[in-house]
PDB file of all heavy atoms in Angstrom:
ATOM      1  N   PHE B 578     127.628-218.218 148.885  1.00 85.00           N
ATOM      2  CA  PHE B 578     128.947-217.698 148.553  1.00 85.00           C
ATOM      3  C   PHE B 578     129.497-217.005 149.770  1.00 85.00           C
ATOM      4  O   PHE B 578     128.880-216.159 150.382  1.00 85.00           O
ATOM      5  CB  PHE B 578     128.779-216.696 147.373  1.00 85.00           C
ATOM      6  CG  PHE B 578     130.115-216.144 146.902  1.00 85.00           C
ATOM      7  CD1 PHE B 578     130.778-216.801 145.890  1.00 85.00           C
ATOM      8  CD2 PHE B 578     130.710-215.021 147.475  1.00 85.00           C
ATOM      9  CE1 PHE B 578     131.997-216.282 145.405  1.00 85.00           C
ATOM     10  CE2 PHE B 578     131.917-214.548 147.045  1.00 85.00           C
ATOM     11  CZ  PHE B 578     132.581-215.203 146.020  1.00 85.00           C
ATOM     12  N   ASN B 579     130.743-217.385 150.183  1.00 87.00           N
ATOM     13  CA  ASN B 579     131.321-216.852 151.381  1.00 87.00           C
ATOM     14  C   ASN B 579     132.655-216.217 151.087  1.00 87.00           C
ATOM     15  O   ASN B 579     133.375-216.652 150.158  1.00 87.00           O
ATOM     16  CB  ASN B 579     131.498-217.970 152.431  1.00 87.00           C
ATOM     17  CG  ASN B 579     130.377-217.960 153.439  1.00 87.00           C
ATOM     18  OD1 ASN B 579     129.635-216.991 153.494  1.00 87.00           O
ATOM     19  ND2 ASN B 579     130.304-218.964 154.238  1.00 87.00           N
ATOM     20  N   THR B 580     133.037-215.290 151.944  1.00 91.00           N
ATOM     21  CA  THR B 580     134.422-214.814 151.908  1.00 91.00           C
ATOM     22  C   THR B 580     134.992-215.066 153.298  1.00 91.00           C
ATOM     23  O   THR B 580     134.275-215.407 154.267  1.00 91.00           O
ATOM     24  CB  THR B 580     134.499-213.303 151.645  1.00 91.00           C
ATOM     25  OG1 THR B 580     133.872-212.578 152.706  1.00 91.00           O
ATOM     26  CG2 THR B 580     133.802-212.957 150.343  1.00 91.00           C
ATOM     27  N   LEU B 581     136.307-214.868 153.427  1.00 92.00           N
ATOM     28  CA  LEU B 581     136.932-215.105 154.728  1.00 92.00           C
ATOM     29  C   LEU B 581     136.358-214.231 155.798  1.00 92.00           C
ATOM     30  O   LEU B 581     136.104-214.656 156.934  1.00 92.00           O
ATOM     31  CB  LEU B 581     138.479-214.819 154.599  1.00 92.00           C
ATOM     32  CG  LEU B 581     139.300-215.877 153.945  1.00 92.00           C
ATOM     33  CD1 LEU B 581     140.699-215.307 153.608  1.00 92.00           C
ATOM     34  CD2 LEU B 581     139.394-217.136 154.752  1.00 92.00           C
ATOM     35  N   ALA B 582     136.110-212.932 155.416  1.00 92.00           N
ATOM     36  CA  ALA B 582     135.557-212.011 156.389  1.00 92.00           C
ATOM     37  C   ALA B 582     134.167-212.497 156.899  1.00 92.00           C
ATOM     38  O   ALA B 582     133.890-212.478 158.075  1.00 92.00           O
ATOM     39  CB  ALA B 582     135.404-210.614 155.795  1.00 92.00           C
ATOM     40  N   VAL B 583     133.310-212.933 155.975  1.00 92.00           N
ATOM     41  CA  VAL B 583     132.004-213.388 156.328  1.00 92.00           C
ATOM     42  C   VAL B 583     132.061-214.644 157.214  1.00 92.00           C
ATOM     43  O   VAL B 583     131.377-214.757 158.228  1.00 92.00           O
ATOM     44  CB  VAL B 583     131.134-213.648 155.088  1.00 92.00           C
ATOM     45  CG1 VAL B 583     129.826-214.300 155.447  1.00 92.00           C
ATOM     46  CG2 VAL B 583     130.887-212.386 154.311  1.00 92.00           C
ATOM     47  N   ARG B 584     132.987-215.534 156.864  1.00 91.00           N
ATOM     48  CA  ARG B 584     133.168-216.718 157.628  1.00 91.00           C
ATOM     49  C   ARG B 584     133.642-216.427 159.036  1.00 91.00           C
ATOM     50  O   ARG B 584     133.059-216.962 160.038  1.00 91.00           O
ATOM     51  CB  ARG B 584     134.222-217.586 156.888  1.00 91.00           C
ATOM     52  CG  ARG B 584     134.458-218.939 157.547  1.00 91.00           C
ATOM     53  CD  ARG B 584     133.403-219.941 157.044  1.00 91.00           C
ATOM     54  NE  ARG B 584     133.663-221.242 157.694  1.00 91.00           N
ATOM     55  CZ  ARG B 584     132.721-221.907 158.334  1.00 91.00           C
ATOM     56  NH1 ARG B 584     131.491-221.414 158.393  1.00 91.00           N
ATOM     57  NH2 ARG B 584     132.981-223.104 158.901  1.00 91.00           N
ATOM     58  N   ALA B 585     134.589-215.549 159.166  1.00 91.00           N
ATOM     59  CA  ALA B 585     135.087-215.157 160.504  1.00 91.00           C
ATOM     60  C   ALA B 585     133.920-214.563 161.315  1.00 91.00           C
ATOM     61  O   ALA B 585     133.753-214.871 162.498  1.00 91.00           O
ATOM     62  CB  ALA B 585     136.241-214.176 160.388  1.00 91.00           C
ATOM     63  N   PHE B 586     133.152-213.733 160.659  1.00 91.00           N
ATOM     64  CA  PHE B 586     132.035-213.093 161.389  1.00 91.00           C
ATOM     65  C   PHE B 586     131.032-214.098 161.821  1.00 91.00           C
ATOM     66  O   PHE B 586     130.552-214.078 162.950  1.00 91.00           O
ATOM     67  CB  PHE B 586     131.345-212.110 160.360  1.00 91.00           C
ATOM     68  CG  PHE B 586     130.101-211.488 160.928  1.00 91.00           C
ATOM     69  CD1 PHE B 586     130.129-210.464 161.858  1.00 91.00           C
ATOM     70  CD2 PHE B 586     128.835-211.906 160.469  1.00 91.00           C
ATOM     71  CE1 PHE B 586     128.968-209.884 162.343  1.00 91.00           C
ATOM     72  CE2 PHE B 586     127.678-211.356 160.964  1.00 91.00           C
ATOM     73  CZ  PHE B 586     127.751-210.333 161.954  1.00 91.00           C
TER      74      PHE B 586
END
Side-chain angles (χ1 to χ4, degrees):
Chain B
F578 184 91
N579 261 348
T580 65
L581 284 169
V583 172
R584 184 83 181 127
F586 174 78

